[in-house]
Amino acid sequence: MDAEAVLAKHNNATILLMGLRRSGKSSICKVVFHDMQPLDTLYLESTTKPTTENFKSLIDLAVMELPGQLNLFEPSLYDSEKLFSSIGALVYVIDSQDEYLSALQNLAVIIKYACSVNSKLHIEVLIHKIDGLSEDFRLETQRDIMQRVGDDLLDYGLDGVQISFYLTSIFDHSIYEAFSRIVQKLIYELPALENLLDLLMQYSTLDKVFLFDVNSKIYVATDSSPVDMQTYEVCAEFIDVTIDLDGLYENSGQEADGTVRSQPTRCVSKLQSGSVLYLHQMIRGLALVAVMRLEDDNDTNALAVIDHNVLVFKKSLEKLWERARIK
Amino acid sequence: MTLNLWDCGGQDVFMENFLSNDSDNQNSNSSSNIFKKCEVLIHVFDVESKEVQKDIEIFKRVLDNLHKFSPGVKIFILVHKMDLIQINKRQELFDIMFNKLHHVAWDNYKFKIKGFATSIWDESLYKAWSQIVCSLIPNISLYEELLSKFNSILNAREMILFEKTTFLVISSTNKFNAGSDELDPKRFEKISNIIKTYKQSVNKIRTNFNNLVLHGRNSSIYLDVLTSNIYIMIIMDNPKSTFTGYQIDDENLVLENIKVARAEFEKIEKGA
């Protein structure tokens, strides 16, 4: 079983995806990491055995999904102690359109066990499928669930456990936002990265900058200013535009030798409001996407300065990554 | 150019109205001229329709009216909702349908028809509408001429003109005229689709986009406003040198050229 192989490596960047049956775990996996259309996930078969998938991003990430209908503590299936001690984050998915009381009971049992095995575990709860709920009902549901989880943990004497809650749906960008936050917690070098991005912002007059994983549209880091959902969506969709357009005009296998290193993809788009969208390819399938405002008319000079700064940032990113790999 | 689009209700009651009342009973009312001065008929067929015979019958009657009132009309048919048919059967089904309609139109009225297999769930709809709208643009040949002249100066891999609001392809020119088959034949429709999605996406931050310059792996793509109604997209091959940073001079050269071309294209638009 490949789950064993992952465990053997003792990889801390493993996300364990759990939840009751039909809560939407597989759909999340397919939509976020496999670029599947949200509507197509209606026809997914139910997952019958634990599956592990690996993703290369800034860090090598593994997402393990446990089928919901199995009893977690069945000893013949997998070594749950080893499992929980080796993962970095536990993501529990709750179907908000269904009766969630049994899911909450299940969650409390799992948290109790997980905390006894691994105290450094990040526990994340996705209040999922909120697309079917009205605006005010969403917050009410979230408050209710947070309250109940808190009460349950108090009963077990675990009131100090940190749990994060997210409202998610696969039909908008909220699921990417939630996963971005979760993955960011697993990146050891995050403070250094954020610092670098802040510096870049400061010297290049950017409004907002994201470091995206191109394949999954998760942002692995952003600067310290607050994230505005609309800006995130526009930036994520800008990546699609760039990739799709570039893909249409590919040279079919004429220079397959690979010795000629093509320049990194870079895309600049001016908007009528005076803002500029800027994308620059980074290392390891990452791309830097920024929103900025160019004050003067001579924007080629301003862009050249930004290009230079971004290249400097890219070099530091390469260095950071080299050092990190030695550990 | 202003397009008066008449979206006619398709219920039997309305249809009877158009076909019998409105056309025969001349003195009834002003709506009797539904078939008068028609430039284009777009007849949409549901590919899943149960009553194909009846659909064709209605098509016949529409043609009959057009023959009487607007003999110079251009006729397009869309065999629509193709997404509901298995991929390997689509072409076959479309051919059967098209041949049948072609015979109806040609044998009785000497109308030539053009047909498209379409679906709103992919880019086929852009292809169909692009050709329909192109057939209406008055001095399309002038645009084409100017575009190929522009390309002889810039030597781009490809140049495409788009209508601004719909992003339908108006005209295009290509460096290798015969050997362009290595490129995706559906690329125009795909570009229309991509850019429209992009427009909707920047609408979320309450603005619209002006231009886009992309230096990709194999080519550089420039998308810019050309006239008040037209966008231009230019695809340049990347020089096959080793990486030496961005060729800012090249970029400026192309952008300056677009500026000069803008004046020329605006002349055509004003003259029309």
Side-chain angles (χ1 to χ4, degrees):
Chain A
M1 190 196 289
D2 59 353
E4 295 287 333
V6 173
L7 291 181
K9 275 201 301 185
H10 230 70
N11 189 350
N12 269 332
T14 301
I15 295 175
L16 186 63
L17 206 55
M18 296 181 78
L20 289 189
R21 51 181 292 278
R22 307 199 53 78
S23 57
K25 302 179 291 299
S26 303
S27 308
I28 291 175
C29 239
K30 293 276 186 227
V31 168
V32 176
F33 296 106
H34 290 267
D35 239 344
M36 194 188 238
Q37 289 301 313
L39 277 176
D40 293 342
T41 62
L42 292 176
Y43 311 110
L44 283 181
E45 304 250 334
S46 95
T47 314
T48 51
K49 59 180 186 190
T51 51
T52 311
E53 289 176 83
N54 292 297
F55 303 99
K56 272 198 163 52
S57 171
L58 186 64
I59 49 174
D60 291 325
L61 191 72
V63 176
M64 197 186 299
E65 189 190 335
L66 299 187
Q69 61 269 46
L70 296 182
N71 180 9
L72 172 68
F73 300 106
E74 189 84 48
S76 62
L77 275 170
Y78 35 77
D79 185 346
S80 44
E81 189 178 330
K82 206 169 157 192
L83 182 76
F84 275 98
S85 60
S86 65
I87 58 171
L90 168 74
V91 177
Y92 193 85
V93 184
I94 295 176
D95 182 349
S96 66
Q97 294 187 21
D98 204 16
E99 265 313 311
Y100 48 73
L101 289 180
S102 58
L104 292 180
Q105 270 169 11
N106 187 19
L107 174 63
V109 174
I110 291 171
I111 292 177
K112 187 188 168 212
Y113 181 74
C115 286
S116 68
V117 176
N118 182 354
S119 57
K120 278 187 281 183
L121 191 66
H122 296 282
I123 298 173
E124 324 277 348
V125 177
L126 302 185
I127 302 168
H128 197 48
K129 305 193 192 175
I130 53 151
D131 43 280
L133 303 181
S134 68
E135 286 289 338
D136 7 322
F137 203 62
R138 289 178 190 175
L139 290 176
E140 211 170 285
T141 312
Q142 184 181 16
R143 211 174 301 128
D144 186 43
I145 288 179
M146 286 170 82
Q147 180 73 42
R148 282 171 194 273
V149 172
D151 289 349
D152 282 347
L153 290 184
L154 212 58
D155 291 346
Y156 286 119
L158 289 165
D159 45 338
V161 181
Q162 278 299 315
I163 304 177
S164 317
F165 293 88
Y166 306 90
L167 291 170
T168 60
S169 155
I170 54 171
F171 292 97
D172 58 26
H173 283 75
S174 57
I175 187 71
Y176 294 97
E177 163 88 12
F179 258 85
S180 301
R181 298 258 181 91
I182 293 167
V183 171
Q184 280 172 34
K185 288 184 184 169
L186 301 177
I187 298 175
Y188 179 73
E189 297 86 358
L190 187 69
L193 267 179
E194 283 181 341
N195 208 359
L196 276 176
L197 286 170
D198 275 343
L199 276 175
L200 177 67
M201 278 251 292
Q202 204 176 332
Y203 288 109
S204 317
T205 61
L206 308 178
D207 284 346
K208 184 76 197 157
V209 54
F210 293 100
L211 198 56
F212 268 102
D213 176 48
V214 169
N215 292 324
S216 59
K217 312 281 180 307
I218 286 177
Y219 62 94
V220 295
T222 179
D223 61 89
S224 47
S225 67
V227 176
D228 157 38
M229 211 45 199
Q230 260 95 36
T231 315
Y232 167 74
E233 281 173 33
V234 171
C235 287
E237 277 160 20
F238 189 55
I239 297 180
D240 279 332
V241 172
T242 309
I243 293 177
D244 292 349
L245 279 183
D246 194 29
L248 285 178
Y249 288 93
E250 226 152 54
N251 281 352
S252 48
Q254 281 171 348
E255 30 191 351
D257 54 344
T259 48
V260 184
R261 204 176 143 238
S262 63
Q263 54 187 22
T265 302
R266 167 184 177 267
C267 190
V268 180
S269 178
K270 288 188 190 118
L271 307 179
Q272 268 165 17
S273 59
S275 295
V276 174
L277 289 173
Y278 177 94
L279 177 145
H280 200 125
Q281 192 186 343
M282 295 279 129
I283 55 168
R284 293 178 66 83
L286 295 178
L288 180 123
V289 184
V291 183
M292 58 183 137
R293 197 164 272 281
L294 295 179
E295 301 297 336
D296 50 350
D297 268 349
N298 191 1
D299 43 44
T300 21
N301 287 345
L303 274 178
V305 171
I306 287 166
D307 275 338
H308 178 75
N309 284 341
V310 168
L311 284 176
V312 172
F313 171 80
K314 187 177 173 183
K315 279 194 189 116
S316 6
L317 195 65
E318 277 163 0
K319 270 190 201 157
L320 187 76
W321 175 247
E322 257 172 40
R323 301 268 158 79
R325 225 172 358 177
I326 297 167
K327 275 183 206 158
Chain B
M1 184 174 84
T2 314
L3 190 64
N4 285 316
L5 196 63
W6 288 20
D7 184 357
C8 303
Q11 267 79 22
D12 284 349
V13 193
F14 298 130
M15 270 303 185
E16 278 313 312
N17 240 350
F18 300 142
L19 293 170
S20 49
N21 256 353
D22 290 0
S23 47
D24 298 337
N25 198 352
Q26 292 291 324
N27 48 11
S28 66
N29 52 38
S30 61
S31 72
S32 69
N33 49 21
I34 194 162
F35 289 106
K36 269 185 198 162
K37 289 190 184 165
C38 274
E39 297 261 10
V40 170
L41 165 77
I42 303 168
H43 203 110
V44 183
F45 290 90
D46 180 355
V47 75
E48 278 218 314
S49 167
K50 299 276 184 300
E51 303 163 299
V52 181
Q53 269 320 316
K54 189 182 155 202
D55 290 347
I56 294 177
E57 203 51 46
I58 288 175
F59 181 57
K60 245 185 204 164
R61 287 170 67 187
V62 171
L63 288 184
D64 195 42
N65 278 304
L66 283 172
H67 188 64
K68 253 187 257 166
F69 296 106
S70 316
V73 70
K74 296 191 182 86
I75 294 170
F76 296 92
I77 60 150
L78 306 185
V79 183
H80 199 49
K81 305 193 192 175
M82 271 294 178
D83 51 288
L84 297 172
I85 307 296
Q86 283 175 32
I87 291 178
N88 49 2
K89 293 201 176 136
R90 285 180 192 175
Q91 187 60 39
E92 189 187 346
L93 210 70
F94 172 74
D95 286 342
I96 295 172
M97 193 71 188
F98 180 75
N99 282 333
K100 214 182 263 173
L101 295 172
H102 175 76
H103 280 302
V104 170
W106 182 250
D107 296 349
N108 300 338
Y109 310 101
K110 299 281 178 260
F111 276 138
K112 260 191 187 159
I113 63 170
K114 263 191 168 176
F116 302 97
T118 59
S119 155
I120 56 166
W121 301 108
D122 59 28
E123 61 280 332
S124 58
L125 202 59
Y126 291 102
K127 186 191 172 108
W129 274 93
S130 178
Q131 298 215 12
I132 293 168
V133 171
C134 274
S135 76
L136 288 167
I137 296 174
N139 36 20
I140 186 103
S141 58
L142 280 178
Y143 284 116
E144 270 165 7
E145 207 175 289
L146 199 53
L147 191 67
S148 63
K149 211 161 134 198
F150 188 19
N151 198 16
S152 68
I153 296 165
L154 213 49
N155 199 21
R157 192 171 178 189
E158 187 155 70
M159 283 189 182
I160 312 164
L161 295 183
F162 294 95
E163 197 278 319
K164 192 175 181 179
T165 43
T166 56
F167 250 89
L168 296 173
V169 176
I170 298 171
S171 175
S172 74
T173 174
N174 207 304
K175 190 162 70 176
F176 1 73
N177 283 323
S180 63
D181 51 348
E182 60 183 273
L183 289 171
D184 186 348
K186 283 185 181 166
R187 61 189 181 282
F188 293 157
E189 298 91 87
K190 283 182 180 164
I191 294 171
S192 300
N193 210 349
I194 293 167
I195 302 296
K196 276 206 100 162
T197 323
Y198 178 46
K199 274 175 83 173
Q200 280 163 11
S201 132
V202 294
N203 268 339
K204 281 182 206 152
I205 49 175
R206 286 168 300 281
T207 180
N208 219 328
F209 85 99
N210 255 348
N211 74 356
L212 183 145
V213 178
L214 164 69
H215 295 285
R217 271 170 302 171
N218 303 305
S219 46
S220 295
I221 298 176
Y222 300 82
L223 178 65
D224 208 340
V225 182
L226 192 60
T227 69
S228 49
N229 293 317
I230 298 176
Y231 267 96
I232 188 166
M233 182 180 264
I234 300 176
I235 295 99
M236 303 285 286
D237 276 326
N238 276 351
K240 289 190 180 110
S241 60
T242 47
F243 171 60
T244 53
Y246 294 110
Q247 286 83 22
I248 298 232
D249 294 334
D250 287 0
E251 189 176 314
N252 284 344
L253 183 71
V254 174
L255 292 178
E256 279 306 313
N257 268 309
I258 292 177
K259 258 185 213 165
V260 176
R262 188 169 296 153
E264 292 298 316
F265 276 94
E266 266 164 0
K267 270 185 210 157
I268 302 187
E269 214 162 73
K270 290 218 180 77

